[in-house]
Amino acid sequence: MSIGELIFLLTIIVTMGGALMAVLSGSVVYALMGLVTAMFGVAGLYVYLDSPFLAMMQILIYVGAVSVLIAFAVMLIGPLYRRPKEWTTAGKFGAALGVALVTLFMFVRFVTETFPRVGKPSFAMTTKEIGRLFFDNLVLPFELISLLIVVAILGAIMLALFSRGNK
Amino acid sequence: MEQIVNMIGRETLKTIVGLIGVLVFVVFNALILTWAERKVAGHMQRRIGPKEVGPYGLIQPIADAIKLLGKEILTPREVDRPLYYLAPILIFVPVLVSFIVIPFDASLQVKDINVGILVILAFSSLSVFSILMAGWGSNNKYALIGAIRSVAQNIAYEIPLLLALLPVIMMANSFSLKTIVEAQKGLWFVVYQPLAFCIYFISAVAETNRTPFDLPEAESELVAGYHTEYSGMRFALFFLAEYTNIFIVSAIAVTFFLGGYQGPFLPGIIWFLLKSYLLVFVIIWLRWTYPRVRFDQLLNVSWKALIPLAFINLLITGGLLKL
């Protein structure tokens, strides 16, 4: 096994371990730490795939922004927080069904798809290529995502104002 | 010697030596800064500051370090152990990673990564997490309040910080710190971007949790904030990270706005350290001149003043670059 493969394996283990911790941990804070670990693992995979820009963006956005916001919300609950109520049978069944469907879909996709082999992507061009794609071929999805985020922000503001008025 | 070099590989050896150099520098920098802080504070208040241990009190920080090493490391009974132990170690990761990409001289850099500044900014978010872990793990209300404040502050000031660096990245056309320094051969970017420099500097002081923005560790209300329950060497690690962070934000300011290692006559590293420590001095100066701001003032300055200004600055820069 070469060093590259060993690092790849370690990244996989870190990602999976973090993800499992996020799902299985009883405490919210540990679940969050697991999530952060998993995000780092995914960033490691991007580095392995020669996309350092994407890896840094992964850390900057998912660890630096998303997880910090989640952490902020958790902190406001306070240290008195205890584990939530047990799942209902219907909830368990629904969750299992959802996971099964997603797994099935991915499996079918994985079996039917033939993955094209690409050459080694160029290291220096990544940011330029990503920028060009965003404002050229993918400009419509990009703008649609922006619109979605604006709607989400407006919704959050509405919720905050609404609950304040009710008090 | 040649054999060893060939066996490990030149690039790997360079990285290892660089990392050792970084560790030595981190400790040395903290020693100097603790001394400088007390000395500057003394003179600001018409005192002399430390003077008994060594000439001008220069050996004082070493005495302090030995004292901290000798202290008992207490672990309160009710702490959340894994988080409590991990926090002071984790706070060092972003600090060490940042040093890897900072160019001290034209050839004195552990590794030139083409997304250099993103590495620093991405990993700096980890320090928020270690503060959170420390605050939560301590199981102490003062520590928790300090941690919550720290997160709110970090979210608010990370945005203007990024937006202030962006115009420079656009002008230099690169994320690599070395390329950015090389792009300032003629004129420093502070001349083109005075507003961005001011926004960056204010945000940087807030990011390092220094007075007038030191609400996460406000002594008069929160005992010591997130590191209330830490003693001995664990406390020293937080302390070390804070002083290293002060140097790092100054070094980034120098790299982005003040021409990095470029300057006449003297070698590059001297210029770099000279400019960096000048900014560090300004940060210490601010601490001993201004009182702490209120929390609503702190957030208002960022969201209502710095962020809109940074956006306007970014728009103007983008427009002028395309003309």
Side-chain angles (χ1 to χ4, degrees), chain A residues 27 29-30 32-33 36 40 52-53 56-57 59-60 63-65 67-69 71-72 74-76 78-81 123-127, chain B residues 80-83 113-115 118-119 121-123 125-126 128-129 132-133 135-136 139 144 147-149 151-152 154-155 158 162 175:
Chain A
S27 142
V29 176
Y30 281 90
L32 180 65
M33 292 304 155
V36 171
F40 257 98
F53 177 71
M56 288 308 131
M57 279 302 162
I59 298 178
L60 201 63
V63 178
S67 301
V68 167
L69 276 177
F72 192 51
V74 170
M75 292 295 138
L76 290 178
L80 293 172
Y81 182 80
F123 188 78
M125 291 295 285
T126 47
T127 49
Chain B
D80 194 331
R81 273 160 209 275
L83 296 183
I113 303 173
N114 70 345
V115 287
L118 286 180
V119 172
L121 294 173
F123 277 88
S125 56
L126 257 188
V128 188
F129 267 100
L132 272 178
M133 286 163 84
W136 177 277
N139 209 349
L144 188 67
I148 292 176
R149 285 187 182 180
V151 179
N154 259 283
I155 293 170
E158 194 127 296
L162 284 166
F175 283 120

Short mmCIF file of all heavy atoms in Angstrom, two decimals, chain A residues 27 29-30 32-33 36 40 52-53 56-57 59-60 63-65 67-69 71-72 74-76 78-81 123-127, chain B residues 80-83 113-115 118-119 121-123 125-126 128-129 132-133 135-136 139 144 147-149 151-152 154-155 158 162 175:
data_model
loop_
_atom_site.label_atom_id
_atom_site.label_comp_id
_atom_site.label_asym_id
_atom_site.label_seq_id
_atom_site.Cartn_x
_atom_site.Cartn_y
_atom_site.Cartn_z
N SER A 27 -25.24 13.36 23.04
CA SER A 27 -25.11 14.78 23.38
C SER A 27 -25.00 15.63 22.12
O SER A 27 -24.31 15.25 21.16
CB SER A 27 -23.89 14.96 24.26
OG SER A 27 -23.23 16.14 23.94
N VAL A 29 -23.54 18.46 21.63
CA VAL A 29 -22.22 19.03 21.39
C VAL A 29 -21.30 18.00 20.75
O VAL A 29 -20.58 18.31 19.80
CB VAL A 29 -21.62 19.54 22.72
CG1 VAL A 29 -20.23 20.05 22.50
CG2 VAL A 29 -22.49 20.63 23.30
N TYR A 30 -21.38 16.74 21.23
CA TYR A 30 -20.53 15.70 20.62
C TYR A 30 -20.98 15.44 19.19
O TYR A 30 -20.14 15.20 18.31
CB TYR A 30 -20.57 14.44 21.46
CG TYR A 30 -19.67 14.55 22.65
CD1 TYR A 30 -20.14 15.05 23.86
CD2 TYR A 30 -18.33 14.21 22.56
CE1 TYR A 30 -19.31 15.18 24.95
CE2 TYR A 30 -17.48 14.33 23.65
CZ TYR A 30 -17.99 14.82 24.85
OH TYR A 30 -17.15 14.96 25.90
N LEU A 32 -22.19 17.58 17.18
CA LEU A 32 -21.66 18.68 16.38
C LEU A 32 -20.17 18.47 16.10
O LEU A 32 -19.71 18.68 14.97
CB LEU A 32 -21.88 19.99 17.14
CG LEU A 32 -21.37 21.23 16.42
CD1 LEU A 32 -22.16 21.46 15.15
CD2 LEU A 32 -21.47 22.43 17.32
N MET A 33 -19.43 18.04 17.12
CA MET A 33 -18.00 17.79 16.92
C MET A 33 -17.79 16.69 15.88
O MET A 33 -16.89 16.76 15.05
CB MET A 33 -17.34 17.39 18.25
CG MET A 33 -17.29 18.51 19.27
SD MET A 33 -16.46 19.97 18.62
CE MET A 33 -17.17 21.25 19.63
N VAL A 36 -18.28 18.23 12.49
CA VAL A 36 -17.10 19.01 12.08
C VAL A 36 -16.00 18.08 11.60
O VAL A 36 -15.36 18.33 10.56
CB VAL A 36 -16.60 19.88 13.26
CG1 VAL A 36 -15.28 20.50 12.92
CG2 VAL A 36 -17.62 20.93 13.61
N PHE A 40 -14.27 17.91 7.86
CA PHE A 40 -12.83 17.95 7.62
C PHE A 40 -12.39 16.78 6.77
O PHE A 40 -11.54 16.92 5.88
CB PHE A 40 -12.07 17.95 8.95
CG PHE A 40 -11.56 19.30 9.32
CD1 PHE A 40 -12.26 20.09 10.19
CD2 PHE A 40 -10.40 19.77 8.76
CE1 PHE A 40 -11.82 21.34 10.52
CE2 PHE A 40 -9.94 21.03 9.08
CZ PHE A 40 -10.65 21.82 9.96
N PRO A 52 -7.46 21.74 -4.12
CA PRO A 52 -7.24 22.43 -2.84
C PRO A 52 -8.23 23.58 -2.62
O PRO A 52 -8.65 23.83 -1.49
CB PRO A 52 -5.81 22.94 -2.94
CG PRO A 52 -5.50 22.95 -4.38
CD PRO A 52 -6.30 21.87 -5.00
N PHE A 53 -8.62 24.23 -3.72
CA PHE A 53 -9.55 25.37 -3.57
C PHE A 53 -10.87 24.90 -3.00
O PHE A 53 -11.41 25.47 -2.04
CB PHE A 53 -9.76 26.03 -4.93
CG PHE A 53 -10.74 27.17 -4.89
CD1 PHE A 53 -10.41 28.36 -4.28
CD2 PHE A 53 -12.00 27.04 -5.45
CE1 PHE A 53 -11.32 29.40 -4.22
CE2 PHE A 53 -12.91 28.07 -5.40
CZ PHE A 53 -12.57 29.26 -4.78
N MET A 56 -10.55 24.01 0.69
CA MET A 56 -10.53 25.16 1.59
C MET A 56 -11.92 25.77 1.70
O MET A 56 -12.34 26.22 2.76
CB MET A 56 -9.54 26.21 1.08
CG MET A 56 -8.11 25.79 1.25
SD MET A 56 -7.79 25.29 2.94
CE MET A 56 -6.96 23.75 2.72
N MET A 57 -12.66 25.78 0.57
CA MET A 57 -14.02 26.32 0.61
C MET A 57 -14.91 25.45 1.49
O MET A 57 -15.76 25.96 2.22
CB MET A 57 -14.59 26.37 -0.82
CG MET A 57 -14.12 27.59 -1.57
SD MET A 57 -14.59 29.05 -0.65
CE MET A 57 -13.54 30.27 -1.33
N ILE A 59 -13.99 23.76 4.12
CA ILE A 59 -13.73 24.08 5.53
C ILE A 59 -14.30 25.46 5.87
O ILE A 59 -14.96 25.65 6.88
CB ILE A 59 -12.21 24.02 5.81
CG1 ILE A 59 -11.68 22.63 5.57
CG2 ILE A 59 -11.93 24.43 7.25
CD1 ILE A 59 -10.19 22.51 5.78
N LEU A 60 -14.04 26.42 4.97
CA LEU A 60 -14.46 27.80 5.23
C LEU A 60 -15.97 27.89 5.41
O LEU A 60 -16.47 28.57 6.31
CB LEU A 60 -14.01 28.68 4.06
CG LEU A 60 -13.89 30.18 4.32
CD1 LEU A 60 -12.83 30.42 5.36
CD2 LEU A 60 -13.52 30.89 3.04
N VAL A 63 -17.33 24.26 7.98
CA VAL A 63 -16.82 24.31 9.36
C VAL A 63 -16.91 25.72 9.89
O VAL A 63 -17.42 25.97 10.99
CB VAL A 63 -15.36 23.80 9.42
CG1 VAL A 63 -14.83 23.90 10.82
CG2 VAL A 63 -15.28 22.36 8.93
N GLY A 64 -16.43 26.69 9.09
CA GLY A 64 -16.32 28.06 9.57
C GLY A 64 -17.65 28.76 9.72
O GLY A 64 -17.82 29.61 10.60
N ALA A 65 -18.62 28.45 8.86
CA ALA A 65 -19.88 29.19 8.91
C ALA A 65 -21.03 28.33 9.42
O ALA A 65 -21.63 28.62 10.45
CB ALA A 65 -20.19 29.76 7.53
N SER A 67 -21.26 25.15 10.71
CA SER A 67 -21.14 24.49 12.00
C SER A 67 -21.04 25.49 13.14
O SER A 67 -21.55 25.22 14.24
CB SER A 67 -19.91 23.58 12.00
OG SER A 67 -20.02 22.63 10.99
N VAL A 68 -20.40 26.63 12.89
CA VAL A 68 -20.31 27.63 13.95
C VAL A 68 -21.70 28.16 14.30
O VAL A 68 -22.03 28.36 15.47
CB VAL A 68 -19.36 28.78 13.54
CG1 VAL A 68 -19.51 29.96 14.47
CG2 VAL A 68 -17.93 28.30 13.55
N LEU A 69 -22.54 28.32 13.25
CA LEU A 69 -23.92 28.77 13.51
C LEU A 69 -24.69 27.73 14.32
O LEU A 69 -25.41 28.07 15.26
CB LEU A 69 -24.63 29.06 12.19
CG LEU A 69 -24.38 30.44 11.62
CD1 LEU A 69 -25.07 30.59 10.29
CD2 LEU A 69 -24.89 31.51 12.58
N ALA A 71 -23.37 25.58 16.31
CA ALA A 71 -22.80 25.61 17.65
C ALA A 71 -23.39 26.75 18.46
O ALA A 71 -23.71 26.60 19.64
CB ALA A 71 -21.28 25.78 17.54
N PHE A 72 -23.57 27.89 17.78
CA PHE A 72 -24.14 29.05 18.46
C PHE A 72 -25.54 28.73 18.98
O PHE A 72 -25.88 29.03 20.13
CB PHE A 72 -24.19 30.21 17.47
CG PHE A 72 -24.48 31.52 18.11
CD1 PHE A 72 -23.74 31.95 19.20
CD2 PHE A 72 -25.49 32.34 17.64
CE1 PHE A 72 -24.00 33.15 19.79
CE2 PHE A 72 -25.75 33.54 18.23
CZ PHE A 72 -25.01 33.96 19.31
N VAL A 74 -26.70 25.78 19.66
CA VAL A 74 -26.59 24.79 20.74
C VAL A 74 -26.22 25.47 22.06
O VAL A 74 -26.79 25.17 23.11
CB VAL A 74 -25.54 23.72 20.37
CG1 VAL A 74 -25.23 22.84 21.57
CG2 VAL A 74 -26.02 22.86 19.22
N MET A 75 -25.28 26.43 21.96
CA MET A 75 -24.83 27.11 23.17
C MET A 75 -25.99 27.84 23.85
O MET A 75 -26.05 27.92 25.07
CB MET A 75 -23.76 28.15 22.85
CG MET A 75 -22.47 27.57 22.38
SD MET A 75 -21.66 26.62 23.64
CE MET A 75 -21.11 25.24 22.68
N LEU A 76 -26.92 28.36 23.04
CA LEU A 76 -28.03 29.11 23.63
C LEU A 76 -28.96 28.19 24.41
O LEU A 76 -29.70 28.66 25.29
CB LEU A 76 -28.80 29.84 22.52
CG LEU A 76 -28.03 31.00 21.91
CD1 LEU A 76 -28.83 31.65 20.80
CD2 LEU A 76 -27.68 32.04 22.95
N GLY A 78 -27.93 25.95 26.43
CA GLY A 78 -27.33 25.91 27.76
C GLY A 78 -26.92 24.53 28.19
O GLY A 78 -27.35 23.54 27.61
N PRO A 79 -26.09 24.43 29.21
CA PRO A 79 -25.56 23.14 29.63
C PRO A 79 -26.60 22.24 30.28
O PRO A 79 -26.33 21.09 30.56
CB PRO A 79 -24.45 23.49 30.62
CG PRO A 79 -24.58 24.92 30.90
CD PRO A 79 -25.58 25.53 29.99
N LEU A 80 -27.80 22.75 30.55
CA LEU A 80 -28.83 21.95 31.19
C LEU A 80 -29.48 20.98 30.21
O LEU A 80 -30.26 20.13 30.60
CB LEU A 80 -29.90 22.85 31.80
CG LEU A 80 -29.42 23.68 32.97
CD1 LEU A 80 -30.48 24.67 33.37
CD2 LEU A 80 -29.06 22.78 34.13
N TYR A 81 -29.15 21.16 28.92
CA TYR A 81 -29.81 20.37 27.89
C TYR A 81 -29.56 18.88 28.08
O TYR A 81 -28.45 18.46 28.33
CB TYR A 81 -29.31 20.79 26.52
CG TYR A 81 -29.96 20.06 25.39
CD1 TYR A 81 -31.21 20.43 24.94
CD2 TYR A 81 -29.34 18.99 24.80
CE1 TYR A 81 -31.82 19.76 23.91
CE2 TYR A 81 -29.93 18.30 23.76
CZ TYR A 81 -31.18 18.69 23.33
OH TYR A 81 -31.78 18.03 22.31
N PHE A 123 -3.51 21.51 -11.42
CA PHE A 123 -3.51 21.99 -10.03
C PHE A 123 -3.76 23.49 -9.97
O PHE A 123 -4.52 23.98 -9.16
CB PHE A 123 -2.16 21.65 -9.42
CG PHE A 123 -2.06 21.90 -7.95
CD1 PHE A 123 -2.62 21.01 -7.06
CD2 PHE A 123 -1.42 23.03 -7.47
CE1 PHE A 123 -2.53 21.23 -5.71
CE2 PHE A 123 -1.33 23.24 -6.11
CZ PHE A 123 -1.89 22.34 -5.23
N ALA A 124 -3.14 24.24 -10.89
CA ALA A 124 -3.15 25.70 -10.76
C ALA A 124 -4.43 26.33 -11.28
O ALA A 124 -4.79 27.44 -10.93
CB ALA A 124 -1.95 26.28 -11.49
N MET A 125 -5.17 25.59 -12.13
CA MET A 125 -6.27 26.23 -12.85
C MET A 125 -7.59 26.20 -12.09
O MET A 125 -8.56 26.79 -12.53
CB MET A 125 -6.46 25.52 -14.20
CG MET A 125 -5.34 25.75 -15.18
SD MET A 125 -5.24 27.48 -15.67
CE MET A 125 -6.66 27.56 -16.76
N THR A 126 -7.65 25.52 -10.94
CA THR A 126 -8.95 25.23 -10.35
C THR A 126 -9.81 26.46 -10.13
O THR A 126 -10.96 26.48 -10.56
CB THR A 126 -8.79 24.48 -9.01
OG1 THR A 126 -7.81 25.17 -8.27
CG2 THR A 126 -8.42 23.05 -9.23
N THR A 127 -9.29 27.50 -9.50
CA THR A 127 -10.13 28.65 -9.17
C THR A 127 -10.64 29.32 -10.44
O THR A 127 -11.81 29.69 -10.52
CB THR A 127 -9.34 29.68 -8.34
OG1 THR A 127 -8.11 29.92 -8.98
CG2 THR A 127 -9.11 29.18 -6.95
N ASP B 80 -16.64 18.44 31.30
CA ASP B 80 -16.84 17.45 30.26
C ASP B 80 -15.45 17.09 29.75
O ASP B 80 -14.86 17.81 28.95
CB ASP B 80 -17.69 18.09 29.15
CG ASP B 80 -18.22 17.07 28.19
OD1 ASP B 80 -17.56 16.03 28.03
OD2 ASP B 80 -19.29 17.30 27.62
N ARG B 81 -14.89 15.97 30.22
CA ARG B 81 -13.45 15.75 30.08
C ARG B 81 -12.90 15.80 28.65
O ARG B 81 -11.96 16.56 28.41
CB ARG B 81 -13.04 14.47 30.79
CG ARG B 81 -12.75 14.77 32.23
CD ARG B 81 -12.79 13.57 33.12
NE ARG B 81 -13.18 14.01 34.45
CZ ARG B 81 -12.33 14.48 35.35
NH1 ARG B 81 -11.05 14.53 35.09
NH2 ARG B 81 -12.74 14.90 36.52
N PRO B 82 -13.42 15.02 27.70
CA PRO B 82 -12.80 15.05 26.36
C PRO B 82 -12.73 16.47 25.78
O PRO B 82 -11.68 16.89 25.29
CB PRO B 82 -13.74 14.18 25.52
CG PRO B 82 -14.41 13.29 26.48
CD PRO B 82 -14.53 14.05 27.75
N LEU B 83 -13.82 17.22 25.89
CA LEU B 83 -13.82 18.58 25.33
C LEU B 83 -12.85 19.46 26.10
O LEU B 83 -12.10 20.23 25.52
CB LEU B 83 -15.22 19.18 25.39
CG LEU B 83 -16.31 18.51 24.56
CD1 LEU B 83 -17.59 19.29 24.69
CD2 LEU B 83 -15.88 18.46 23.11
N ILE B 113 1.54 27.76 -1.14
CA ILE B 113 0.35 27.08 -1.64
C ILE B 113 -0.46 28.08 -2.47
O ILE B 113 -0.58 29.24 -2.07
CB ILE B 113 -0.50 26.53 -0.47
CG1 ILE B 113 0.35 25.59 0.38
CG2 ILE B 113 -1.73 25.83 -0.98
CD1 ILE B 113 -0.32 25.13 1.64
N ASN B 114 -1.00 27.63 -3.60
CA ASN B 114 -1.63 28.61 -4.49
C ASN B 114 -2.98 29.12 -3.95
O ASN B 114 -3.55 30.04 -4.50
CB ASN B 114 -1.76 28.06 -5.91
CG ASN B 114 -2.78 26.95 -6.01
OD1 ASN B 114 -3.19 26.39 -4.98
ND2 ASN B 114 -3.18 26.61 -7.21
N VAL B 115 -3.48 28.51 -2.87
CA VAL B 115 -4.67 29.08 -2.23
C VAL B 115 -4.30 29.50 -0.80
O VAL B 115 -5.08 29.34 0.12
CB VAL B 115 -5.86 28.10 -2.22
CG1 VAL B 115 -6.45 27.98 -3.61
CG2 VAL B 115 -5.46 26.75 -1.71
N LEU B 118 -6.57 31.37 1.69
CA LEU B 118 -7.76 30.58 2.05
C LEU B 118 -7.42 29.56 3.12
O LEU B 118 -8.25 29.26 3.99
CB LEU B 118 -8.29 29.86 0.81
CG LEU B 118 -9.01 30.74 -0.19
CD1 LEU B 118 -9.48 29.92 -1.36
CD2 LEU B 118 -10.19 31.41 0.47
N VAL B 119 -6.19 29.04 3.09
CA VAL B 119 -5.78 28.09 4.12
C VAL B 119 -5.85 28.76 5.49
O VAL B 119 -6.43 28.24 6.44
CB VAL B 119 -4.34 27.58 3.84
CG1 VAL B 119 -3.85 26.76 5.02
CG2 VAL B 119 -4.31 26.75 2.58
N LEU B 121 -7.55 31.50 6.40
CA LEU B 121 -8.91 31.88 6.79
C LEU B 121 -9.75 30.66 7.16
O LEU B 121 -10.53 30.69 8.11
CB LEU B 121 -9.58 32.66 5.66
CG LEU B 121 -8.93 34.01 5.36
CD1 LEU B 121 -9.54 34.63 4.12
CD2 LEU B 121 -9.08 34.94 6.54
N ALA B 122 -9.56 29.55 6.40
CA ALA B 122 -10.35 28.36 6.67
C ALA B 122 -10.00 27.79 8.04
O ALA B 122 -10.88 27.47 8.83
CB ALA B 122 -10.10 27.31 5.58
N PHE B 123 -8.71 27.72 8.32
CA PHE B 123 -8.32 27.10 9.59
C PHE B 123 -8.55 28.01 10.78
O PHE B 123 -8.67 27.54 11.91
CB PHE B 123 -6.88 26.61 9.53
CG PHE B 123 -6.74 25.27 8.89
CD1 PHE B 123 -6.58 25.15 7.52
CD2 PHE B 123 -6.83 24.13 9.65
CE1 PHE B 123 -6.49 23.91 6.92
CE2 PHE B 123 -6.75 22.88 9.06
CZ PHE B 123 -6.57 22.77 7.70
N SER B 125 -11.14 29.42 11.48
CA SER B 125 -12.46 29.16 12.05
C SER B 125 -12.38 28.07 13.12
O SER B 125 -13.27 27.97 13.97
CB SER B 125 -13.42 28.75 10.95
OG SER B 125 -12.91 27.64 10.26
N LEU B 126 -11.31 27.28 13.08
CA LEU B 126 -11.17 26.22 14.10
C LEU B 126 -10.96 26.79 15.49
O LEU B 126 -11.34 26.17 16.49
CB LEU B 126 -9.96 25.35 13.75
CG LEU B 126 -10.24 24.01 13.13
CD1 LEU B 126 -8.96 23.23 13.04
CD2 LEU B 126 -11.26 23.25 13.94
N VAL B 128 -12.44 29.22 16.82
CA VAL B 128 -13.75 29.45 17.41
C VAL B 128 -14.23 28.16 18.08
O VAL B 128 -14.79 28.18 19.18
CB VAL B 128 -14.78 29.86 16.35
CG1 VAL B 128 -16.07 30.26 17.00
CG2 VAL B 128 -14.24 30.95 15.50
N PHE B 129 -13.98 27.03 17.39
CA PHE B 129 -14.44 25.77 17.94
C PHE B 129 -13.74 25.42 19.22
O PHE B 129 -14.36 24.91 20.16
CB PHE B 129 -14.27 24.66 16.92
CG PHE B 129 -15.50 24.47 16.12
CD1 PHE B 129 -15.60 24.99 14.86
CD2 PHE B 129 -16.59 23.83 16.68
CE1 PHE B 129 -16.76 24.87 14.16
CE2 PHE B 129 -17.75 23.70 15.98
CZ PHE B 129 -17.84 24.22 14.71
N LEU B 132 -15.27 27.38 21.90
CA LEU B 132 -16.56 26.80 22.25
C LEU B 132 -16.39 25.56 23.11
O LEU B 132 -17.10 25.37 24.11
CB LEU B 132 -17.30 26.41 20.98
CG LEU B 132 -18.14 27.48 20.33
CD1 LEU B 132 -18.76 26.95 19.08
CD2 LEU B 132 -19.22 27.92 21.29
N MET B 133 -15.44 24.69 22.71
CA MET B 133 -15.21 23.47 23.48
C MET B 133 -14.76 23.80 24.88
O MET B 133 -15.19 23.17 25.85
CB MET B 133 -14.16 22.61 22.78
CG MET B 133 -14.67 21.92 21.55
SD MET B 133 -13.34 21.33 20.51
CE MET B 133 -12.97 19.80 21.29
N GLY B 135 -15.37 26.60 26.54
CA GLY B 135 -16.47 27.22 27.27
C GLY B 135 -17.52 26.22 27.70
O GLY B 135 -18.00 26.24 28.83
N TRP B 136 -17.86 25.32 26.79
CA TRP B 136 -18.89 24.33 27.09
C TRP B 136 -18.34 23.26 28.05
O TRP B 136 -18.99 22.89 29.03
CB TRP B 136 -19.36 23.68 25.80
CG TRP B 136 -20.36 22.60 25.99
CD1 TRP B 136 -20.07 21.30 26.29
CD2 TRP B 136 -21.77 22.70 25.94
NE1 TRP B 136 -21.23 20.59 26.41
CE2 TRP B 136 -22.28 21.42 26.20
CE3 TRP B 136 -22.64 23.76 25.69
CZ2 TRP B 136 -23.64 21.17 26.22
CZ3 TRP B 136 -24.00 23.50 25.70
CH2 TRP B 136 -24.49 22.22 25.97
N ASN B 139 -18.13 23.68 31.93
CA ASN B 139 -19.33 23.56 32.74
C ASN B 139 -19.41 24.69 33.77
O ASN B 139 -19.67 24.46 34.95
CB ASN B 139 -19.34 22.20 33.46
CG ASN B 139 -20.74 21.73 33.69
OD1 ASN B 139 -21.69 22.49 33.49
ND2 ASN B 139 -20.90 20.50 34.12
N LEU B 144 -19.10 29.75 29.66
CA LEU B 144 -20.08 29.57 28.59
C LEU B 144 -20.47 30.91 27.98
O LEU B 144 -20.54 31.06 26.75
CB LEU B 144 -21.30 28.83 29.11
CG LEU B 144 -22.28 28.43 28.01
CD1 LEU B 144 -21.66 27.39 27.12
CD2 LEU B 144 -23.58 27.91 28.59
N ALA B 147 -17.76 32.07 25.78
CA ALA B 147 -17.71 31.34 24.52
C ALA B 147 -18.80 31.81 23.56
O ALA B 147 -18.55 32.01 22.37
CB ALA B 147 -17.86 29.84 24.79
N ILE B 148 -20.01 32.03 24.09
CA ILE B 148 -21.11 32.49 23.23
C ILE B 148 -20.78 33.85 22.62
O ILE B 148 -20.95 34.09 21.43
CB ILE B 148 -22.43 32.57 24.03
CG1 ILE B 148 -22.88 31.17 24.41
CG2 ILE B 148 -23.51 33.24 23.20
CD1 ILE B 148 -24.12 31.15 25.27
N ARG B 149 -20.27 34.74 23.47
CA ARG B 149 -19.88 36.05 22.95
C ARG B 149 -18.83 35.93 21.88
O ARG B 149 -18.88 36.61 20.85
CB ARG B 149 -19.31 36.89 24.09
CG ARG B 149 -20.36 37.41 25.03
CD ARG B 149 -19.68 38.35 25.98
NE ARG B 149 -20.60 38.88 26.97
CZ ARG B 149 -20.22 39.73 27.91
NH1 ARG B 149 -18.95 40.11 27.96
NH2 ARG B 149 -21.08 40.20 28.76
N VAL B 151 -18.32 33.52 19.80
CA VAL B 151 -18.86 33.05 18.53
C VAL B 151 -19.61 34.18 17.81
O VAL B 151 -19.42 34.40 16.62
CB VAL B 151 -19.80 31.85 18.75
CG1 VAL B 151 -20.37 31.40 17.43
CG2 VAL B 151 -19.06 30.73 19.40
N ALA B 152 -20.45 34.91 18.56
CA ALA B 152 -21.20 36.00 17.94
C ALA B 152 -20.24 37.01 17.32
O ALA B 152 -20.43 37.50 16.21
CB ALA B 152 -22.08 36.67 18.98
N ASN B 154 -17.14 36.47 16.35
CA ASN B 154 -16.42 35.90 15.23
C ASN B 154 -17.25 35.87 13.97
O ASN B 154 -16.74 36.14 12.88
CB ASN B 154 -15.96 34.48 15.58
CG ASN B 154 -14.51 34.47 15.94
OD1 ASN B 154 -13.66 34.54 15.07
ND2 ASN B 154 -14.23 34.46 17.22
N ILE B 155 -18.55 35.52 14.11
CA ILE B 155 -19.43 35.51 12.94
C ILE B 155 -19.51 36.92 12.36
O ILE B 155 -19.43 37.13 11.17
CB ILE B 155 -20.84 35.01 13.32
CG1 ILE B 155 -20.77 33.55 13.72
CG2 ILE B 155 -21.80 35.18 12.17
CD1 ILE B 155 -22.06 33.04 14.33
N GLU B 158 -15.82 38.06 10.87
CA GLU B 158 -15.18 37.29 9.81
C GLU B 158 -15.57 37.83 8.43
O GLU B 158 -14.78 37.85 7.50
CB GLU B 158 -15.58 35.82 9.93
CG GLU B 158 -14.73 34.90 9.11
CD GLU B 158 -14.17 33.77 9.95
OE1 GLU B 158 -13.38 34.04 10.88
OE2 GLU B 158 -14.53 32.64 9.69
N LEU B 162 -12.97 39.12 5.51
CA LEU B 162 -12.84 38.50 4.18
C LEU B 162 -13.06 39.54 3.08
O LEU B 162 -12.32 39.60 2.10
CB LEU B 162 -13.87 37.39 4.02
CG LEU B 162 -13.58 36.08 4.74
CD1 LEU B 162 -14.82 35.22 4.78
CD2 LEU B 162 -12.48 35.36 4.03
N PHE B 175 -4.37 33.98 -5.02
CA PHE B 175 -4.58 33.68 -3.61
C PHE B 175 -3.25 33.41 -2.89
O PHE B 175 -3.22 33.27 -1.69
CB PHE B 175 -5.46 32.43 -3.45
CG PHE B 175 -6.92 32.67 -3.68
CD1 PHE B 175 -7.60 32.00 -4.68
CD2 PHE B 175 -7.61 33.54 -2.88
CE1 PHE B 175 -8.95 32.22 -4.89
CE2 PHE B 175 -8.96 33.76 -3.08
CZ PHE B 175 -9.63 33.10 -4.08
#
